[in-house]
Amino acid sequence: MKLRLSAVRRVAVRTGAAALTAVVAADASASGDTDTFCAPAAARTLKIGTAVHAGALTSESGYQDRVRYGFGSVTPENAMKWALVEPRRNTYDWTSADAVVDFATAHNESVRGHTLVWGKSLPGWLTDGVAQGTIGDAQLKAILQSHITTLMKRYAGRVGVWDVVNEALAEDGTVDTGNFWYRHLGEAYIADAFTWAHAADPAAKLYLNDFDTEPVNSKSDGLYTLVKKLRAAGVPIDGVGFQTHVTTDNTLHTLRANLRRFADLGLDVAITELDVRMPLPPTDALLTTQADIYATATEACLAVSRCVSLTVWGFSDAYSWVPAALPGWGAADLLDQGLRPKPAYAAVHAALDDCGFTTTTTAAARHSAR
Ligand code: G3I
């Protein structure tokens, strides 16, 4: 079986979801949320994307086909991180980042650029230079502006959306004072990054991206306050990304209401890194729970008209970051290690189908012709 998530890569048409509307009406009366299950979608664009490994993308034709025929948007999982693109000071290595963007350009895929300002995956020359005092704070600020400008200008017109600032908040919703950038540049680094990004590519959509902000909780409350403050100060922020790395213990039942409150600020919202990990080994019960959570995330995005994209953080357990980073956990993706679809795969499709998203886009047509 091949992936067919390209079904919603462009404009989709709502054709009715009467049965499911009833289900959501019951939910809505409890929450006070007046959303329907499927947000009005007369001219809605909802991109379904995946994170990609530059290495697999350039060397495995099966991987390429799955991305090409399965998704309308790609996010380089690591290829644009600072440690990879500038491993030595002023010496850029564009090999992997270019490979992803060239692939996307060749196959009419959108790209979410990931990520310009993050306290992790920084090159040693930068962190060591700061630690040793050879890079002072004023110089660091100039280096950051140059980094943002260099990446965005290189890909202007080809990368339409950027995670400008990644993971700026602490779990309690305050700005993370332990973050490398905060420690050296203070909270102003966030606003500065967006201002510099807008100057580098005024057409790009600029996102603040974070994790554990999917539910209505203290961290998402803090994010909401921060975003409101940035908007009020005229900072050019276009959207908020909700990573959505969750476990099978997580229900995501407040995700929809949370997306809506950010959308109501006049921002786009996106699910940017969805995966649902489980304690290993997988069981039928865990796979069913996982499918429910994937469906809930998809439905939440579908219900909010400003939810512009849903990206999974890789499509197969064969390439997942989870087992190495979180031993004992895994099986987080839509396909298993053998690239067989799991119940979650069907659940995502069912949610999309229920909102009348068509399967007649270019990529889907190409898929059918194969
Ligand atoms: O490429 C080197 C390889 O040469 C080396 O031998 C090996 C030894 O550790 O490391 C390899 O690099 C690893 C890289 O992934 C590529 O596989 C890094 O150690 C490892 O830290 C890195 O992990 C990535 C992580 O971000 C840190 O950048 C994950 O693949 C990636 O999925 C993860 O993605 C993050 C998002 O960017 C932000 N949100 C959370 C998400 C999950 O942690």
Side-chain angles (χ1 to χ4, degrees):
M1 185 190 252
K2 290 178 182 138
L3 284 172
R4 294 188 65 215
L5 287 177
S6 50
V8 289
R9 65 180 294 155
R10 294 291 179 258
V11 176
V13 180
R14 185 184 179 198
T15 56
L20 285 162
T21 304
V23 172
V24 172
D27 173 37
S29 66
S31 68
D33 184 351
T34 54
D35 263 347
T36 53
F37 182 80
C38 306
R44 182 167 180 194
T45 298
L46 170 60
K47 288 183 177 148
I48 302 296
T50 181
V52 291
H53 273 239
L57 197 64
T58 48
S59 62
E60 298 176 25
S61 62
Y63 186 98
Q64 285 178 8
D65 283 352
R66 283 192 165 79
V67 175
R68 188 173 162 191
Y69 299 111
F71 299 93
S73 168
V74 294
T75 303
E77 183 171 354
N78 291 309
M80 288 180 175
K81 290 175 183 170
W82 201 327
L84 274 87
V85 293
E86 196 184 359
R88 281 172 290 129
R89 190 168 184 180
N90 296 324
T91 303
Y92 286 86
D93 180 354
W94 299 110
T95 314
S96 295
D98 278 359
V100 174
V101 177
D102 289 349
F103 172 89
T105 303
H107 300 297
N108 198 25
E109 302 271 342
S110 302
V111 184
R112 293 195 92 259
H114 177 84
T115 176
L116 296 168
V117 189
W118 189 22
K120 296 182 179 170
S121 294
L122 295 169
W125 65 261
L126 181 67
T127 50
D128 293 349
V130 169
Q132 292 157 9
T134 54
I135 297 175
D137 290 349
Q139 204 179 1
L140 184 66
K141 188 172 171 181
I143 289 172
L144 181 60
Q145 180 175 7
S146 167
H147 174 77
I148 292 169
T149 305
T150 302
L151 267 82
M152 290 192 71
K153 283 197 178 294
R154 181 175 186 86
Y155 296 119
R158 298 201 293 159
V159 175
V161 182
W162 283 94
D163 288 332
V164 175
V165 175
N166 194 43
E167 301 177 7
L169 293 176
E171 284 299 302
D172 66 0
T174 58
V175 174
D176 181 8
T177 54
N179 179 291
F180 175 85
W181 297 106
Y182 183 96
R183 282 191 282 118
H184 299 288
L185 304 180
E187 185 174 336
Y189 88 87
I190 300 172
D192 284 346
F194 280 97
T195 302
W196 295 330
H198 182 66
D201 181 2
K205 295 285 187 191
L206 309 179
Y207 276 64
L208 183 60
N209 191 49
D210 218 317
F211 67 97
D212 286 354
T213 49
E214 296 78 26
V216 176
N217 61 14
S218 51
K219 189 168 182 183
S220 65
D221 287 349
L223 179 63
Y224 184 83
T225 303
L226 172 63
V227 166
K228 236 176 138 173
K229 192 168 82 176
L230 292 170
R231 295 275 289 176
V235 174
I237 174 172
D238 299 294
V240 179
F242 297 82
Q243 293 186 7
T244 323
H245 293 290
V246 295
T247 76
T248 42
D249 291 329
N250 195 311
T251 62
L252 292 182
H253 68 280
T254 57
L255 174 60
R256 181 162 61 104
N258 198 34
L259 293 179
R260 160 126 331 261
R261 68 170 169 160
F262 283 87
D264 285 347
L265 290 175
L267 292 158
D268 288 341
V269 294
I271 293 175
T272 53
E273 304 184 15
L274 175 62
D275 57 20
V276 182
R277 61 186 180 271
M278 61 183 69
L280 298 173
T283 63
D284 286 348
L286 286 168
L287 290 167
T288 301
T289 301
Q290 180 185 55
D292 286 347
I293 297 168
Y294 265 99
T296 301
T298 309
E299 289 161 4
C301 186
L302 286 165
V304 177
S305 54
R306 291 204 70 155
C307 186
V308 295
S309 64
L310 184 154
T311 297
V312 292
W313 205 240
F315 53 85
S316 159
D317 296 338
Y319 306 96
S320 173
W321 66 282
V322 173
L326 301 167
W329 291 83
D333 292 343
L334 295 173
L335 306 187
D336 68 15
Q337 293 270 356
L339 302 174
R340 290 174 294 266
K342 295 194 285 193
Y345 175 86
V348 169
H349 275 280
L352 295 170
D353 290 347
D354 285 338
C355 281
F357 280 80
T358 64
T359 56
T360 56
T361 59
T362 310
R366 282 202 305 259
H367 169 82
S368 317
R370 286 165 60 81

